[in-house]
């Protein structure tokens, strides 16, 4: 009986696991980074800007990396593998977006938008696959959005700009990429899943408070509030751990019920 109890107690353990999180210093990324570290993972946090070392029991390592540069990504991953014997978890969380009206978007801006939100997810995944294939195990978690699933209610965006059309297209592409990768690599021990957050607005430095926007989002949500960053972290731990060992190709929506009506 005690053996069984211990088995379940360790169900979410990430002890001795090595994780890479892109955009891991951002609004949702830092919560996921800390959560994985709290369950025992050694976490490499990749970010392009704003890096500041955070002492979190020595389990977070911050690496400056522009994930839209596939050569730079491969170099950073090879650097990690010089000291680590495994890469167990990859969370593709990074994105960067310029918001413009549809009729004003140029071809170059479209290409850049897709590259900044979708393409690097593929190339980061491609960079860790050889190691995951060698070890015969791995968990890849892609971060999409409810707006990869749903249309925008433009009436809510009076105080802020609505996200761009290439944000919606790219986030939708992430969902389909997850399914394809899951079918390709499921038999090889690699699981691929998606988390799609709903509305998790953040306070931006230098931008005025937007109480009307928050109220409108909350009214539209069955739970009558917006999300907090730590409310995404649990799904990241779950999909990283043996608790989800028979789950692949799936999308976990964390939106307070927004998408159910």
């Amino acid at each position: 009986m005690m053996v069984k109890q211990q088995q379940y107690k360790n169900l979410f353990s990430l002890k001795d696991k090595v994780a890479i999180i892109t955009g891991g210093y951002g609004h949702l990324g830092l919560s996921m980074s800390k959560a994985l570290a709290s369950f025992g993972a050694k976490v490499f946090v990749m970010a392009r800007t704003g890096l500041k070392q955070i002492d979190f029991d020595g389990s977070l390592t911050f690496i400056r990396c522009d994930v839209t540069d596939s050569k730079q990504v491969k170099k950073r991953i090879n650097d990690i593998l010089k000291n680590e014997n495994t890469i167990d978890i990859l969370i593709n969380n990074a994105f960067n977006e310029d918001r413009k009206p549809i009729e004003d978007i140029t071809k170059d801006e479209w290409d850049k938008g897709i590259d900044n939100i979708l393409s690097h997810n593929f190339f980061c995944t491609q960079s860790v696959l050889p190691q995951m294939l060698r070890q015969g195990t791995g968990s890849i978690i892609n971060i999409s959005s409810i707006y990869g699933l749903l249309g925008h209610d433009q009436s809510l965006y009076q105080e802020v700009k609505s996200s761009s059309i290439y944000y919606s297209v790219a986030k939708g592409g992430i969902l389909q990429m997850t399914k394809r990768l899951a079918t390709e690599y499921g038999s090889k021990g690699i699981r691929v899943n998606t988390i799609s957050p709903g509305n998790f607005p953040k306070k931006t430095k230098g931008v005025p408070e937007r109480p009307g926007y928050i109220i409108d989002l909350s009214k539209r949500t069955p739970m009558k509030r917006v999300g907090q960053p730590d409310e995404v972290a649990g799904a990241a731990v779950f999909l990283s751990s043996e608790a989800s060992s028979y789950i692949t190709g799936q999308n976990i929506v964390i939106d307070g019920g927004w998408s159910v009506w």
Side-chain angles (χ1 to χ4, degrees):
M1 181 65 71
M2 289 300 295
V3 173
K4 282 292 185 182
Q5 287 180 350
Q6 195 61 37
Q7 172 189 341
Y8 293 127
K9 285 181 180 178
N10 293 332
L11 201 56
F12 293 90
S13 174
L14 300 176
K15 188 175 185 294
D16 299 325
K17 300 291 187 182
V18 174
I20 297 172
I21 303 184
T22 70
Y25 194 77
H27 184 52
L28 301 181
L30 191 56
S31 288
M32 290 189 285
S33 298
K34 289 179 176 179
L36 266 62
S38 295
F39 279 82
K42 184 173 184 180
V43 182
F44 290 89
V45 178
M46 286 188 179
R48 178 162 43 184
T49 59
L51 283 182
K52 180 181 178 182
Q53 297 295 325
I54 297 174
D55 184 12
F56 200 72
D57 297 328
S59 51
L60 297 182
T61 300
F62 291 85
I63 300 174
R64 188 175 297 280
C65 181
D66 180 355
V67 295
T68 64
D69 183 340
S70 59
K71 291 181 179 178
Q72 191 176 141
V73 168
K74 288 182 179 179
K75 183 179 186 307
R76 296 291 184 266
I77 288 171
N78 287 334
D79 289 345
I80 290 170
L81 287 171
K82 288 176 183 177
N83 298 307
E84 307 297 334
N85 296 320
T86 181
I87 295 175
D88 303 288
I89 302 153
L90 169 67
I91 300 182
N92 286 311
N93 172 65
F95 82 93
N96 186 42
E97 176 195 15
D98 292 323
R99 300 186 175 191
K100 291 189 69 174
I102 291 173
E103 59 271 23
D104 296 335
I105 295 172
T106 66
K107 176 66 164 56
D108 286 344
E109 288 168 339
W110 175 269
D111 291 344
K112 181 181 177 182
I114 297 297
D115 196 39
N116 281 344
I117 305 171
L118 173 60
S119 300
H120 66 80
N121 286 263
F122 172 76
F123 289 108
C124 288
T125 297
Q126 187 186 61
S127 296
V128 302
L129 277 174
Q131 178 59 36
M132 288 186 174
L133 287 168
R134 281 192 292 270
Q135 64 203 32
T137 184
S139 176
I140 297 169
I141 303 166
N142 297 316
I143 306 300
S144 182
S145 165
I146 56 170
Y147 292 127
L149 295 163
L150 307 171
H152 284 63
D153 181 351
Q154 295 297 328
S155 66
L156 297 170
Y157 295 93
Q158 305 303 315
E159 296 185 35
V160 299
K161 289 183 180 179
S162 174
S163 60
S164 65
I165 188 171
Y166 38 74
Y167 179 88
S168 298
V169 172
K171 290 298 188 179
I174 287 171
L175 294 172
Q176 191 60 33
M177 184 175 69
T178 293
K179 294 176 183 179
R180 176 62 185 265
L181 291 169
T183 60
E184 291 272 349
Y185 295 100
S187 63
K188 298 175 175 66
I190 300 170
R191 298 183 297 107
V192 188
N193 292 288
T194 303
I195 296 172
S196 289
N199 291 292
F200 288 77
K202 64 179 178 178
K203 177 68 177 77
T204 304
K205 187 176 180 180
V207 175
E209 293 289 348
R210 305 162 295 175
Y213 174 60
I214 303 300
I215 290 169
D216 287 344
L217 291 178
S218 299
K219 285 180 179 178
R220 170 67 175 72
T221 306
M223 291 184 71
K224 301 305 178 190
R225 63 179 179 84
V226 296
Q228 300 301 316
D230 284 344
E231 293 178 306
V232 174
V237 172
F238 171 63
L239 291 175
S240 298
S241 72
E242 286 303 303
S244 60
S245 60
Y246 197 51
I247 297 176
T248 195
Q250 302 306 306
N251 179 35
I252 296 179
V253 180
I254 306 175
D255 65 354
W258 179 283
S259 58
V260 301
W261 62 10

